[in-house]
Amino acid sequence: MTTLPGLDFTEYDDFGKNGSLGEETTRILRVINTYRTSLLPPYQSHFRVIALVVYKDGEGGVSHVCGTNAEPCTIGGSICAERAALVSLRHASQPVKLLALYVVTDEARNALFPGILCKEFLSSMADDDFTIIVANAETTDVHFKKLGELYPFASAYRHTDRNELVATGQALARKIQMPSTESHAAILYEEVFKVTARDDRDNVHPIRYAAGVLFADGTRVVAWQKKGIEYGTTIDAMVQLAHALESNKSQGLASPILLLQCDQFGILHAPSGHARGFLMEYGYEQVPLLVHDIRTGELLRITVGATAPGRPLISFGEEN
């Protein structure tokens, strides 16, 4: 695991009990920034990101691990700095408790919070009150927020072991609120719920997903997850709606008026990180979504934009 010289977290106080940016935080960010300038940029984006995770290991020791972004020519297989750091924790004495995340990037003007895929991955390892501290190049712009503020509506299964997934889904399904009968939402919901049966490679993973979009002219399009034995090759259900969404947009046809995604238990989930990223970048942030509040089972009507606050905006190929 990569660590940075000059950093000692033995007396780390979980990012300052008063929640303010102190001298120690500034010093940590400057050490990270110095390390950033020592690395060659990745050869696709030419944009460096350094992430440092502070954690407590299973033996009670506090330490840190550092990661940076890497990109192949097929950019969909890229890995962000935050995930590069987090996967290294598999080597630490378990169980690991995450204490804080620091991120410094090449962006000269504004500090950037982690991308959607990074936050989704992080949500499976940390709770909503986990602190993320970010700085621009040269650490002149510094901000911090909680994970729950940056990645709301995380997966209902975010901390669930594979062997407990089905039981968890069944328990949640007993308390969920259903869409109003005979409504357009109910019709789309029933159609999407039905096609979860097509995502039947339960030996690969036991949770089935399907998604659907309702257009203003009443047409509906649905898709189901295509699981890959190599998990990263799985094709997300809602991402598969991209063709219908973009085709209608390019031809000036009916706009989308509702999106939803559910599992085989009927639980409505917010889009995955991949889907949130696509929907936000391609202009669908105002489209309504139906999701279930996993604590109460209440049916919520939100927008795509509500699922992706604090999304980093980077202009590749332009001077910062």
Side-chain angles (χ1 to χ4, degrees):
M1 296 190 292
T2 300
T3 57
L4 301 187
L7 294 180
D8 181 7
F9 292 97
T10 304
E11 303 298 325
Y12 191 74
D13 67 351
D14 202 8
F15 183 58
K17 295 180 175 59
N18 62 359
S20 62
L21 294 168
E23 293 182 3
E24 182 62 13
T25 296
T26 301
R27 188 182 75 84
I28 292 168
L29 290 169
R30 286 175 178 166
V31 171
I32 297 170
N33 190 52
T34 298
Y35 181 65
R36 173 189 66 84
T37 61
S38 73
L39 297 181
L40 289 174
Y43 79 117
Q44 297 303 322
S45 69
H46 294 172
F47 188 86
R48 292 169 294 191
V49 180
I50 308 297
L52 184 144
V53 177
V54 184
Y55 68 95
K56 181 181 290 185
D57 65 28
E59 298 174 358
V62 178
S63 188
H64 74 280
V65 64
C66 187
T68 189
N69 53 320
E71 303 150 359
C73 60
T74 50
I75 60 174
S78 301
I79 185 168
C80 62
E82 295 87 346
R83 284 181 288 165
L86 290 167
V87 296
S88 296
L89 293 177
R90 294 277 294 152
H91 300 285
S93 174
Q94 302 293 320
V96 164
K97 175 180 173 56
L98 303 189
L99 301 180
L101 168 66
Y102 295 81
V103 181
V104 180
T105 77
D106 278 351
E107 169 61 41
R109 292 182 293 268
N110 302 314
L112 300 176
F113 283 101
I116 293 174
L117 291 180
C118 313
K119 292 180 288 193
E120 178 180 55
F121 196 95
L122 186 58
S123 74
S124 69
M125 301 179 67
D127 295 322
D128 285 347
D129 62 353
F130 177 74
T131 302
I132 300 172
I133 308 105
V134 297
N136 65 331
E138 309 310 328
T139 67
T140 55
D141 186 49
V142 180
H143 299 278
F144 66 96
K145 287 188 177 183
K146 300 296 185 180
L147 176 60
E149 299 176 73
L150 295 169
Y151 196 75
F153 307 103
S155 171
Y157 305 116
R158 60 190 287 190
H159 299 316
T160 308
D161 182 88
R162 177 189 177 117
N163 294 333
E164 300 170 355
L165 286 171
V166 171
T168 299
Q170 291 170 337
L172 289 172
R174 288 194 284 270
K175 65 178 183 181
I176 59 174
Q177 178 185 0
M178 305 297 288
S180 300
T181 306
E182 303 302 325
S183 66
H184 288 297
I187 295 170
L188 180 63
Y189 175 75
E190 288 299 324
E191 191 170 347
V192 171
F193 176 68
K194 183 177 179 180
V195 299
T196 61
R198 303 289 298 273
D199 178 17
D200 59 0
R201 301 184 72 191
D202 296 345
N203 60 315
V204 176
H205 196 264
I207 300 300
R208 305 177 176 188
Y209 290 105
V213 55
L214 172 66
F215 290 100
D217 61 0
T219 59
R220 300 180 299 277
V221 178
V222 300
W224 57 93
Q225 178 178 242
K226 312 298 190 299
K227 294 179 182 127
I229 293 175
E230 185 178 350
Y231 282 177
T233 66
T234 296
I235 305 176
D236 180 84
M238 193 166 286
V239 169
Q240 292 176 68
L241 301 177
H243 176 72
L245 290 165
E246 289 293 282
S247 178
N248 270 28
K249 182 198 294 186
S250 66
Q251 297 179 69
L253 301 178
S255 298
I257 59 172
L258 184 65
L259 286 163
L260 57 83
Q261 174 179 250
C262 79
D263 61 26
Q264 73 263 43
F265 309 109
I267 302 164
L268 287 164
H269 299 265
S272 69
H274 279 95
R276 296 185 199 198
F278 160 72
L279 292 166
M280 291 294 292
E281 288 200 36
Y282 283 79
Y284 299 102
E285 63 273 9
Q286 296 303 320
V287 178
L289 283 168
L290 288 182
V291 300
H292 280 122
D293 184 320
I294 62 171
R295 296 164 297 178
T296 66
E298 181 184 0
L299 184 64
L300 305 176
R301 188 181 181 91
I302 61 174
T303 64
V304 169
T307 71
R311 185 171 63 91
L313 299 176
I314 306 169
S315 298
F316 291 133
E318 297 180 9
E319 293 294 327
N320 285 328

